[in-house]
Amino acid sequence: MRILIADDHRLIIEGVKLKLRELGDDVEFVEAESVAQLNQRLAESPLPDIALIDMAMPGAEGTEHIRHAVMRLREASDERGLARARPVVVLSGTEDSSAIRHVLDLGVQGYIPKSSPPDVILNAVRLVVGGGVYVPPEAMKPAGSAMPSSPFPLPASDGLSTKERLASVLTDRQIDVLKLLAKGRPNKLIARDLGISEGTVKIHLAAIFRALHVRNRLEALVAAQNLGD
């Protein structure tokens, strides 16, 4: 299965890939970090079997890139020339119910808030791949009632960079571990790259999870990305 992930945050791309690898050994990823790159991927062959697309990307004009992706993948055919559904799912930091309903009206097969737990993201993709539509609970809320999705407690308006915010709660070594985690490295390779034991890596990860108020690797990546919002 070929999965397109379009998002301008590297941490989000790597985090989602980390979880969606659980879909099976045959999963292959293609990426885009801007609308221009997204359009390029949609013009290539083979097309993705499913596309996860951020609503706010460099080059976006409202939700036009979402509409284009839906139309492009809806019109696509398989290698035998037969029409085959290729779903589009929006992956967004926005939890406003009116925004969710708007993109669902465009024909997407799902809307996944970035604050969703990793297992929810995985199961939502499974549902969509199986022909279903994933609508998050946030879609049922009154318009404008969405709460900020960042799990990190520090304010984003403090004028600090992402690196400076991380340095305020993590040690230099923990930041090194987080950077390698964002590249999709397993514990064994993180240990090798940093010249430490796997046990020490696990200790650092546990400390990172506590400091960022998260429960696992994917949530740590999302929390670190939210520091830059």
Side-chain angles (χ1 to χ4, degrees):
M1 178 167 52
R2 188 176 177 88
I3 301 176
L4 167 62
I5 304 176
D7 195 290
D8 60 322
H9 290 101
R10 190 75 236 164
L11 288 172
I12 293 295
I13 290 178
E14 295 300 334
V16 172
K17 286 167 59 177
L18 184 70
K19 190 62 183 178
L20 294 189
R21 285 193 180 98
E22 296 182 27
L23 290 170
D25 295 335
D26 64 335
V27 172
E28 176 187 356
F29 296 100
V30 288
E31 306 165 6
E33 296 185 27
S34 67
V35 170
Q37 289 182 8
L38 171 62
N39 291 337
Q40 181 180 346
R41 298 292 177 265
L42 293 174
E44 295 173 349
S45 182
L47 284 168
D49 298 296
I50 180 173
L52 280 68
I53 304 175
D54 187 11
M55 193 155 55
M57 298 178 64
E61 297 181 0
T63 55
E64 179 61 23
H65 64 298
I66 303 292
R67 187 198 64 78
H68 171 70
V70 169
M71 295 299 296
R72 177 72 179 97
L73 296 181
R74 179 184 293 164
E75 296 168 354
S77 58
D78 62 18
E79 60 277 3
R80 296 172 296 173
L82 301 175
R84 180 166 69 86
R86 299 170 186 265
V88 173
V89 175
V90 170
L91 183 66
S92 177
T94 299
E95 297 184 9
D96 182 74
S97 58
S98 60
I100 296 173
R101 289 194 284 268
H102 171 68
V103 293
L104 288 171
D105 287 342
L106 295 178
V108 303
Q109 278 71 50
Y111 189 106
I112 306 176
K114 290 181 181 179
S115 60
S116 302
D119 285 339
V120 170
I121 295 175
L122 176 62
N123 290 330
V125 172
R126 280 179 173 150
L127 174 65
V128 170
V129 170
V133 176
Y134 178 74
V135 180
E138 289 83 357
M140 301 299 106
K141 295 179 181 179
S145 64
M147 297 298 290
S149 62
S150 173
F152 194 78
L154 291 181
S157 59
D158 55 11
L160 299 177
S161 66
T162 300
K163 182 177 180 181
E164 290 169 333
R165 290 198 192 96
L166 285 174
S168 71
V169 291
L170 302 179
T171 66
D172 289 343
R173 180 58 85 191
Q174 289 165 359
I175 292 174
D176 291 339
V177 170
L178 186 60
K179 288 178 178 178
L180 291 173
L181 186 67
K183 295 180 179 179
R185 299 280 202 281
N187 290 356
K188 183 176 182 179
L189 291 184
I190 293 175
R192 187 188 69 183
D193 290 352
L194 297 180
I196 57 180
S197 69
E198 284 190 63
T200 301
V201 171
K202 292 179 181 178
I203 292 173
H204 283 314
L205 286 174
I208 290 169
F209 296 167
R210 286 195 301 271
L212 297 182
H213 303 277
V214 299
R215 297 165 295 179
N216 51 53
R217 299 163 79 96
L218 179 54
E219 288 184 4
L221 296 177
V222 173
Q225 179 263 317
N226 279 329
L227 289 173
D229 287 351

